Amino acid sequence: MVTKKALVTGLTGQDGSYLAELLLDKGYQVFGLVRRSSSSHFGRISHFSNNIQILSGDLLDQCSLMDALSEAQPDEIYNLASQSYVPISWSQPALTAEYTAIGVSRLLESIRRCKPDAKFYQASSSEVFGQPDESPQTERTAFRPRNPYGVAKAYAHWMTVNYRQQYNLYNCCGITYTHESPRRGTEFVFRKITRGAALIKLGLANELKLGNLDARRDWCYAKDAVYAMWLMLQQEQPDDYIIASGTTHSVRELVECAFNCIGLNWQDYVSVDPAFYRPDEAVELVGSINKAQKNLGWQPQYSFEQLVELLVDHDLKEITERGISH
Ligand code: GDP
């Protein structure tokens, strides 16, 4: 059997690291495109980095992308790299556009010139919907992004679709909603809560301060999300799909569930601190996964409750084994 080859950008991030693991499990030869400056961020991939071929390249530099494609000759390309932190997209809107929008133009143009038979996955985001007209959102819901990151992702999405139509390339966009895992930073509320609960359970903290408990999100597991990305490139026809859980939960439900896992009453430990309130709270977004279910046979394997339990267990274990500073 011929070994398939995949090139992943954003390899060192949460999704890139899970996707690379999935591809290695499936017997792929995996190449990772990595900026030279990110060599110090190998934490998420250190346990399998020896099995991956690292290529130096940057979405800002077209030549480096063409060189990487020529060298790897990938059958599949997954673009998971971007400047993805929304507050930074306000302070550095042009740089965000360079990476998240124009970077995709450079990559598409490089594919067209160097490897037009490769299948391409573009990581779109629910941020493209911004303030949508309908709920749940579908693949046909109009894009109304509300921050420079969402605007850049909308551009990248439509360029990917346009290159599919214009040049007949096998291009897919996956519009992902929030997805979590043990590799997610603790500044995000999901892991802030699971880690906070673990610290309290282990007697290392006695309170957890949070912001808006009524905020709601459509949360799913990052491993489920990367499986959908791979499935999209295994179809006969390229298409665009929403990747979400299809339901929302509030931060309050999340806290309650995490404290249930450790057998404590959350109200005894959680307090609301206005410092964590957002002045511009995002609109509640929820994705319809009907199309992914029907065409890809995909649906999340982990429920909200299972995901909370998975992360609480992980955080309890990690703190016990590696200490509080990790
Ligand atoms: P994102 O806003 O979707 O990128 O992800 P976050 O995990 O940072 O926030 C999710 C929601 O949790 C937002 O609506 C926040 O207002 C809400 N939230 C409530 N308390 C907190 C908190 O202490 N930290 C964070 N990060 N978010 C909080």
Side-chain angles (χ1 to χ4, degrees):
M1 204 181 78
V2 185
T3 305
K4 274 200 198 175
K5 294 194 275 188
L7 176 67
V8 180
T9 75
L11 175 78
T12 53
Q14 169 184 258
D15 293 0
S17 63
Y18 280 119
L19 179 68
E21 273 175 331
L22 174 78
L23 295 169
L24 287 171
D25 275 355
K26 292 194 174 293
Y28 280 69
Q29 184 178 357
V30 179
F31 295 83
L33 188 78
V34 174
R35 279 182 294 155
R36 284 195 70 80
S37 61
S38 53
S39 55
S40 57
H41 302 304
F42 273 29
R44 293 189 182 94
I45 63 163
S46 55
H47 56 294
F48 62 83
S49 58
N50 286 343
N51 302 329
I52 287 185
Q53 276 158 274
I54 303 291
L55 300 174
S56 167
D58 197 310
L59 289 174
L60 298 190
D61 186 299
Q62 175 111 32
C63 290
S64 73
L65 301 177
M66 293 177 74
D67 286 348
L69 290 174
S70 301
E71 188 173 340
Q73 291 291 313
D75 302 291
E76 297 173 11
I77 301 159
Y78 297 85
N79 182 34
L80 307 183
S82 76
Q83 190 307 99
S84 61
Y85 195 48
V86 171
I88 294 286
S89 81
W90 282 113
S91 58
Q92 300 182 348
L95 189 68
T96 300
E98 278 294 343
Y99 274 110
T100 310
I102 309 297
V104 178
S105 277
R106 293 189 192 96
L107 188 51
L108 288 165
E109 198 48 34
S110 305
I111 294 169
R112 183 176 83 79
R113 287 162 191 254
C114 301
K115 196 72 176 76
D117 61 335
K119 294 180 168 184
F120 176 62
Y121 173 86
Q122 166 60 18
S124 287
S125 157
S126 58
E127 286 287 335
V128 297
F129 293 126
Q131 192 134 29
D133 298 334
E134 56 185 0
S135 183
Q137 295 80 53
T138 74
E139 291 77 3
R140 293 218 285 265
T141 300
F143 291 1
R144 305 199 188 290
R146 293 201 313 162
N147 55 58
Y149 169 72
V151 173
K153 279 288 186 188
Y155 171 94
H157 182 104
W158 283 115
M159 285 304 279
T160 304
V161 172
N162 271 263
Y163 267 61
R164 177 168 75 218
Q165 292 164 343
Q166 181 73 11
Y167 299 117
N168 207 21
L169 301 181
Y170 189 111
N171 287 353
C172 299
C173 296
I175 306 173
T176 51
Y177 285 59
T178 317
H179 40 290
E180 306 289 330
S181 77
R183 297 183 194 164
R184 185 79 142 146
T186 50
E187 67 276 23
F188 293 95
V189 79
F190 209 102
R191 267 209 78 207
K192 179 175 174 181
I193 291 172
T194 59
R195 193 175 153 85
L199 287 169
I200 290 169
K201 177 70 179 174
L202 295 171
L204 297 167
N206 49 25
E207 64 169 350
L208 177 59
K209 289 185 177 178
L210 295 169
N212 183 3
L213 300 182
D214 295 316
R216 301 184 73 87
R217 287 284 184 279
D218 178 330
W219 278 294
C220 83
Y221 185 24
K223 269 195 179 181
D224 281 332
V226 302
Y227 185 61
M229 297 173 191
W230 176 78
L231 276 178
M232 275 183 224
L233 298 200
Q234 312 313 310
Q235 308 305 306
E236 274 189 16
Q237 295 299 328
D239 209 337
D240 309 315
Y241 293 94
I242 282 179
I243 308 172
S245 76
T247 56
T248 63
H249 292 274
S250 66
V251 172
R252 182 177 284 101
E253 288 163 5
L254 174 53
V255 174
E256 205 171 344
C257 190
F259 277 76
N260 278 345
C261 293
I262 55 167
L264 296 174
N265 180 3
W266 68 275
Q267 273 133 332
D268 296 337
Y269 301 93
V270 171
S271 58
V272 170
D273 182 342
F276 294 110
Y277 262 81
R278 303 252 170 105
D280 53 349
E281 185 67 86
V283 175
E284 177 187 336
L285 293 171
V286 56
S288 160
I289 56 172
N290 289 348
K291 185 174 170 184
Q293 277 175 320
K294 184 165 166 276
N295 294 6
L296 305 176
W298 176 84
Q299 62 178 30
Q301 298 301 301
Y302 280 73
S303 68
F304 173 75
E305 291 76 15
Q306 286 170 320
L307 183 56
V308 175
E309 195 178 340
L310 179 95
L311 265 71
V312 170
D313 287 349
H314 166 88
D315 286 328
L316 280 169
K317 191 161 173 268
E318 184 176 83
I319 298 164
T320 308
E321 287 173 2
R322 298 162 82 169
I324 193 169
S325 62
H326 186 74

